[in-house]
Structures are given as structure tokens and as C-alpha cells.
């Protein structure tokens, strides 16, 4: 592979919004009388809003009508939007900005590949919209990760062949989506949780372009 495109998941990779998703879902679970833990929350990462609600309802063994589900998903999103509307550039995760700047200076195309329909608001709040050549998000795709649609779409938008793209992901479903797209995948987070990725780092501050090239080469050999 040649490293020509880098596609970044947003929540938990570029910005620390995973905590806000958790707080909003936790509040909803409490309201519904469902015991919901941080371990349960791992299953929600990378998963669409409605699928996340389904997982919580499954944990609580609760059946709701589709109108009720829509109502609760909307309520959770209102709480979540309340958090993210107050985000500042300080909440960009360590190393993200530097890596993006380095990649772009080297002529590598950058894109977001996120399930979130709140992607535009977050990028705008933290002021990094201009660091991406394209944004593929939950507003542009219909199939949730682990389906590869969002990453294929991102590659298409930046005009790079999927085999020449690296994906950065913090969610198990997202890593599977990247692998399903035929892309090289770097997990961002815990190596135990993200074992399916080609390589795992704790944060983007652990990588630069030279390191990416070494990781990829070592993997092939
Ligand atoms: C993903 C998050 O990026 O976006 C999930 O990891 C979230 O936790 C999903 O459910 C959808 O986000 P939103 O903002 O459209 O509700
Ligand atoms: Mg994520």
C-alpha cells in the first residue's frame, strides 16, 4: 500500500465526545430504570444512535414502541447536543491537530468517517473543519459500522483507493468496518479491546507520518 489517504473516526479519536455520549445514555438508562455500566458503554461506541438505544433496551430487557424509541433517542440527543454545543478547541485530543497538519503538508488527503449526525457541529465548535478534505458522516450514509459504507464513502470523497487508506478508530465496530472496507486500521485506545486492529496506539500523539510508514511496513513483512 501507499499511504495516500487517512480517514479518522471522530468521537473518541479526534475529540473526547465519548464521555458525553456516555453521560447522556447513562441519564436515559437511569430514567428507564436500566442498570448501564461503562463496560456496557463499549458496545455503544461507533454504533448509530438508534442501534445504541436498542442495545440499552436489550440490556434492560425493555420493549418499547417505535414512537417511544424515537422519543427517547431524541431526548438523549438533546442532552448530548447540550454538552457538545459548549465544546471548545481545548477538547481536541492530544496529537490530533499535529498529525493532521503533518499529513496534509505531505500531500496526504484527510477525511472524517463517523457515524455521528452531529459531526458538523462538533468540527465547527472545536474549529478543525479546515483540516479535513472531506467529511463522511451519519448524515451521508445509511448503513452503520461494522458495515464499511462510511469509510468507502470517505475514500470516494477524497478520491483515494481504499487499499491506500489508513483508518483511525476507537470502536470495535469501527475497526471491523475498516477491515471490511479493505483498509489498514490503527486502533486508538486499549490494545485488549481493539485487538482486531492492525496496530493499536493509546492516542494520536503516539504517531507521526514516519511512524505510520514503519508500522505499515512492519505489518507487511
Ligand atoms: C459515533 C459514536 O461516532 O456516533 C456513537 O461513537 C454514536 O456513540 C454515533 O451513537 C451516532 O452519533 P450521533 O451524534 O448521531 O447520535
Ligand atoms: Mg469513535
Amino acid at each position: 500500500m501507499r499511504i495516500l489517504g487517512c480517514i479518522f473516526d471522530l468521537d473518541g479519536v479526534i475529540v473526547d465526545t465519548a464521555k458525553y455520549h456516555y453521560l447522556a445514555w447513562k441519564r436515559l438508562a437511569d430514567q428507564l430504570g436500566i442498570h448501564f455500566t461503562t463496560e456496557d458503554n463499549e458496545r455503544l461506541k461507533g454504533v448509530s444512535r438508534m442501534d445504541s438505544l436498542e442495545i440499552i433496551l436489550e440490556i434492560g430487557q425493555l420493549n418499547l414502541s417505535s414512537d417511544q424509541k424515537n422519543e427517547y433517542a431524541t431526548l438523549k440527543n438533546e442532552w448530548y447536543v447540550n454538552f457538545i454545543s459548549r465544546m471548545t478547541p481545548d477538547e481536541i485530543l492530544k496529537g490530533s491537530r499535529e498529525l493532521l497538519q503533518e499529513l496534509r503538508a505531505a500531500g496526504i488527503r484527510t477525511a472524517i468517517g463517523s457515524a455521528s449526525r452531529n459531526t458538523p457541529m462538533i468540527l465547527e465548535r472545536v474549529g478543525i473543519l479546515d483540516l479535513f478534505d472531506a467529511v463522511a458522516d451519519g448524515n451521508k450514509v445509511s448503513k452503520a459500522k461494522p458495515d464499511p459504507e462510511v469509510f468507502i464513502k470517505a475514500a470516494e470523497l477524497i478520491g483515494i483507493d481504499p487499499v491506500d487508506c489508513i483508518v483511525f478508530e476507537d470502536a470495535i465496530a469501527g475497526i471491523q468496518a475498516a477491515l471490511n472496507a479493505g483498509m489498514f486500521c490503527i486502533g486508538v485506545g486499549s490494545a485488549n479491546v481493539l485487538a482486531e486492529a492492525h496496530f493499536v496506539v493509546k492516542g494520536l500523539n503516539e504517531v507521526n507520518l514516519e511512524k505510520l510508514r514503519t508500522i505499515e511496513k512492519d505489518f507487511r513483512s
Side-chain angles (χ1 to χ4, degrees), residues 167-178:
V167 168
F168 297 84
E169 253 296 346
D170 73 318
I172 299 165
I175 286 165
Q176 291 165 346

Side-chain angles (χ1 to χ4, degrees), residues 7-8 10 110-121 123-124 128-141 150 153-155 157-158:
I7 305 174
F8 296 82
L10 177 66
T110 58
I112 286 282
S114 167
S116 174
R117 289 198 249 147
N118 292 300
T119 297
M121 180 194 277
L123 292 177
E124 196 229 317
I128 50 169
L129 196 53
D130 60 336
L131 292 177
F132 297 96
D133 295 302
V135 175
D137 66 14
N139 301 297
K140 293 188 184 148
V141 298
V150 75
K153 178 88 197 166
L157 289 172
I158 54 175

Side-chain angles (χ1 to χ4, degrees), residues 5-216:
C6 285
I7 305 174
F8 296 82
D9 171 53
L10 177 66
D11 295 313
V13 171
I14 301 286
V15 283
D16 190 13
T17 40
K19 63 183 179 204
Y20 299 138
H21 277 297
Y22 172 69
L23 289 172
W25 283 126
K26 177 77 182 150
R27 183 171 169 186
L28 186 70
D30 287 349
Q31 188 166 313
L32 295 171
I34 296 173
H35 182 64
F36 176 65
T37 65
T38 47
E39 286 88 72
D40 295 330
N41 188 56
E42 282 303 315
R43 293 176 60 197
L44 269 46
K45 288 187 179 170
V47 173
S48 73
R49 196 179 304 165
M50 198 43 92
D51 289 351
S52 300
L53 177 61
E54 296 284 5
I55 292 172
I56 292 175
L57 295 177
E58 181 205 300
I59 292 169
Q61 297 186 322
L62 200 65
N63 283 316
L64 296 180
S65 69
S66 78
D67 280 356
Q68 285 172 312
K69 285 179 194 169
N70 283 328
E71 201 180 296
Y72 285 125
T74 303
L75 188 58
K76 179 268 174 178
N77 192 54
E78 280 168 17
W79 293 331
Y80 177 68
V81 167
N82 193 31
F83 285 123
I84 60 173
S85 62
R86 287 176 283 157
M87 284 180 83
T88 66
D90 297 349
E91 290 176 75
I92 299 171
L93 287 169
K94 261 199 291 177
S96 319
R97 188 190 294 277
E98 293 77 2
L99 178 61
L100 284 158
Q101 283 167 340
E102 189 194 2
L103 294 172
R104 289 169 63 86
I108 293 166
R109 313 269 283 167
T110 58
I112 286 282
S114 167
S116 174
R117 289 198 249 147
N118 292 300
T119 297
M121 180 194 277
I122 295 169
L123 292 177
E124 196 229 317
R125 286 300 307 158
V126 300
I128 50 169
L129 196 53
D130 60 336
L131 292 177
F132 297 96
D133 295 302
V135 175
D137 66 14
N139 301 297
K140 293 188 184 148
V141 298
S142 55
K143 296 187 209 117
K145 299 170 186 177
D147 189 282
E149 186 185 14
V150 75
F151 292 135
I152 298 285
K153 178 88 197 166
E156 222 173 76
L157 289 172
I158 54 175
I160 304 290
D161 197 318
V163 298
D164 292 323
C165 290
I166 296 187
V167 168
F168 297 84
E169 253 296 346
D170 73 318
I172 299 165
I175 286 165
Q176 291 165 346
L179 300 179
N180 289 336
M183 297 176 180
F184 194 79
C185 185
I186 309 253
V188 180
S190 145
N192 293 331
V193 179
L194 307 178
E196 288 177 61
H198 291 110
F199 194 85
V200 180
V201 295
K202 288 199 189 67
L204 294 183
N205 56 326
E206 288 180 14
V207 277
N208 56 27
L209 183 51
E210 196 191 335
K211 176 104 194 265
L212 286 178
R213 292 206 164 109
T214 311
I215 292 170
E216 196 274 326

